[in-house]
């Protein structure tokens, strides 16, 4: 799926996550405790913003571009890979 700057995304309600001391995010589905996922780097930053109820991808990308002094398009490209995987795993949904 092609996510755009206008895409609005949220974490699926049955997902819980915690951040470890090193910034890695651990994600688990409450309906399936046999699986958990580790997210790090820019993907973890994106996840944290979605889990804090920020939903607009464009806003998140622009914030990260400023925080890391990187082109927004580079972050969008990286985010695309992560978001497609998260969508496939039913960790996020479009709203």
């Amino acid at each position: 799926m092609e996510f755009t700057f206008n895409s609005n995304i949220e974490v699926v309600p049955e997902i819980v996550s915690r951040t470890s001391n090193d910034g890695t995010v651990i994600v688990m589905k409450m309906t399936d405790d046999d699986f958990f996922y580790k997210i790090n780097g820019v993907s973890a930053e994106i996840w944290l913003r979605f889990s804090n109820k920020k939903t607009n991808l464009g806003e998140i990308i622009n914030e990260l571009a400023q925080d890391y002094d990187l082109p927004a398009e580079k972050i969008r490209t990286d985010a695309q890979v992560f978001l497609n995987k998260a969508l496939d795993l039913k960790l996020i949904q479009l709203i």
Side-chain angles (χ1 to χ4, degrees), residues 22 27 59 73 92:
D22 68 358
V27 177
E59 289 176 19
E73 190 56 34
I92 60 171

Side-chain angles (χ1 to χ4, degrees), residues 18-41:
R18 298 288 179 263
T19 305
S20 67
N21 291 339
D22 68 358
T24 300
V25 177
I26 309 300
V27 177
M28 187 175 85
K29 288 183 181 182
M30 293 299 292
T31 57
D32 187 1
D33 62 359
D34 289 335
F35 295 96
F36 69 93
Y37 307 95
K38 291 171 70 173
I39 304 169
N40 55 30

Side-chain angles (χ1 to χ4, degrees), residues 4-63:
T4 69
F5 279 89
N6 294 322
S7 295
N8 288 301
I9 300 165
E10 69 180 0
V11 174
V12 174
E14 62 267 8
I15 301 297
V16 294
S17 63
R18 298 288 179 263
T19 305
S20 67
N21 291 339
D22 68 358
T24 300
V25 177
I26 309 300
V27 177
M28 187 175 85
K29 288 183 181 182
M30 293 299 292
T31 57
D32 187 1
D33 62 359
D34 289 335
F35 295 96
F36 69 93
Y37 307 95
K38 291 171 70 173
I39 304 169
N40 55 30
V42 172
S43 297
E45 293 287 337
I46 292 168
W47 181 269
L48 290 172
R49 284 169 169 83
F50 284 139
S51 64
N52 286 327
K53 305 301 182 200
K54 183 164 280 202
T55 61
N56 183 268
L57 182 57
E59 289 176 19
I60 291 171
I61 288 172
N62 288 331
E63 286 176 7

Side-chain angles (χ1 to χ4, degrees), residues 57-76:
L57 182 57
E59 289 176 19
I60 291 171
I61 288 172
N62 288 331
E63 286 176 7
L64 291 172
Q66 288 181 342
D67 291 351
Y68 291 97
D69 196 27
L70 292 169
E73 190 56 34
K74 166 71 172 129
I75 293 172
R76 190 187 75 74

